[in-house]
Each structure stands twice: as C-alpha cells, then as structure tokens.
Amino acid sequence: MDEKKAAILQEIPRLRRYARALMRDRDAADDLVQDCLERALLRMESWRTGESPRRWLFTIMHHLFIDHVRKVNRRGEAAILPLDAHEALATPGMQAETVASREIVDALQAISPDRRAALVMVGIEGFSYAEAATMLGIPAGTLMSRIARGREELRALLDDQARRRTIRIVER
C-alpha cells in the first residue's frame, strides 16, 4: 500500500501541469489535483499493481474536469480564467523565450478545452494516441481530429500574434 501511495505522490507535478492546462486558474487547478488525489486514494484498489499510476490518475482527473465543466455550464458561471504569464511558466526564461512562451500558453488557453486536453496529453505529457483516447474516453479517430484541429487553431492564433508584433505604429 505504501508503494502505491509513493508512486501516486511522484505523479503530482505532472498532475499539476495538466490541471493548469485544463483549468487556466492556479487555485482551481490545485483544487482539481486535490480532488483527483482524494478520489485516487479512496479507490486505490482499482489501480492495478505493477502499472504506473499515471494513466489511471490522468483519467480520474479528466473525468473530474468534465464534471466541473458540466456543473459550471448548468450554473452559467464563468468556467475559466486566463493564466497570468508567470503562472504559466514553471521556470523563468530568457526575455525572448518568455515572450514566445507566453504567446504559446495564451494561444493554448484560447482553444477549446477538448482540443487543449488532447494536445496536452499527447504533445506535452507524451501519451500515445491510444492511451490518450482511452483516458479521455473517446475513439482514437476523434482524438486525432481534435489534435489536428487544435494544431490548426494554434497555428492561426500564433501567426496572428506574430503579425501583430511586426506591425509598428509610426508617429509623425
């Protein structure tokens, strides 16, 4: 039992990163991680010994996130707050890298939660398409479609930001 708890605790940084990508709000992301850990500890018998808890925890977190979105939609509350740039970066970067990172994080936060979740699981967390599809509870084709559309949205948003950055106002 202690080995299982230790394995779960090792996944907390990854859970926090995924939660922040989903929630866009540091406090809400921390709440989501806590809810995920509570549920995991209560249902530890459903985790198969010998496997990494990562897929199991990400699946729990995704289901909790979907429940949160549905609850917010029913209430009509604002579900998502934008991240501050300093909250989005794990470590401070160089000035040029900070601007580029902020633009990427802002663009990622601007796309739909379904596409964002698919991109984060495959592109950042490194899950295979099959693993991510299973965790998200969708067919692999739907996952691939979400990733493709999410990438298109990101490209369009980043191209637009780059164009705006190159436009300079000249005063006489």
Side-chain angles (χ1 to χ4, degrees):
M1 186 70 100
D2 290 331
E3 290 177 22
K4 284 186 172 185
K5 287 181 183 177
I8 289 171
L9 291 177
Q10 289 178 346
E11 296 298 325
I12 291 175
R14 290 181 184 97
L15 290 171
R16 290 186 80 208
R17 182 174 56 215
Y18 183 53
R20 285 190 180 174
L22 291 174
M23 300 300 289
R24 300 185 202 171
D25 175 35
R26 172 181 268 175
D27 294 332
D30 288 342
D31 290 344
L32 183 61
V33 170
Q34 181 173 340
D35 291 345
C36 176
L37 292 172
E38 286 175 7
R39 186 166 289 181
L41 292 172
L42 288 172
R43 298 178 181 171
M44 227 184 313
E45 70 280 351
S46 67
W47 172 35
R48 292 183 221 145
T49 306
E51 286 186 11
S52 168
R54 192 170 178 209
R55 286 178 46 191
W56 178 64
L57 291 168
F58 272 65
T59 302
I60 292 171
M61 181 174 285
H62 181 73
H63 289 292
L64 289 169
F65 172 69
I66 295 299
D67 292 345
H68 170 77
V69 169
R70 287 179 180 152
K71 183 173 78 174
V72 167
N73 286 340
R74 276 194 309 266
R75 290 184 181 171
E77 299 172 4
I80 300 170
L81 300 173
L83 277 175
D84 293 333
H86 70 278
E87 291 178 327
L89 300 173
T91 59
M94 304 303 283
Q95 187 175 12
E97 292 171 354
T98 302
V99 171
S101 296
R102 185 179 24 211
E103 287 176 354
I104 291 168
V105 169
D106 289 346
L108 187 61
Q109 298 301 322
I111 65 175
S112 74
D114 291 341
R115 292 176 184 167
R116 185 172 57 250
L119 281 170
V120 168
M121 281 199 168
V122 172
I124 296 173
E125 295 301 332
F127 289 109
S128 70
Y129 282 12
E131 290 172 325
T134 300
M135 289 186 288
L136 296 173
I138 58 175
T142 302
L143 176 81
M144 293 188 312
S145 175
R146 288 180 184 176
I147 289 172
R149 289 185 186 137
R151 286 177 179 160
E152 287 175 20
E153 272 188 85
L154 282 175
R155 278 188 205 106
L157 289 167
L158 292 171
D159 283 348
D160 187 46
Q161 289 174 355
R163 270 188 244 116
R164 277 190 264 140
R165 214 177 34 243
T166 60
I167 298 173
R168 297 176 189 246
I169 300 175
V170 179
E171 294 182 23
R172 292 182 190 203

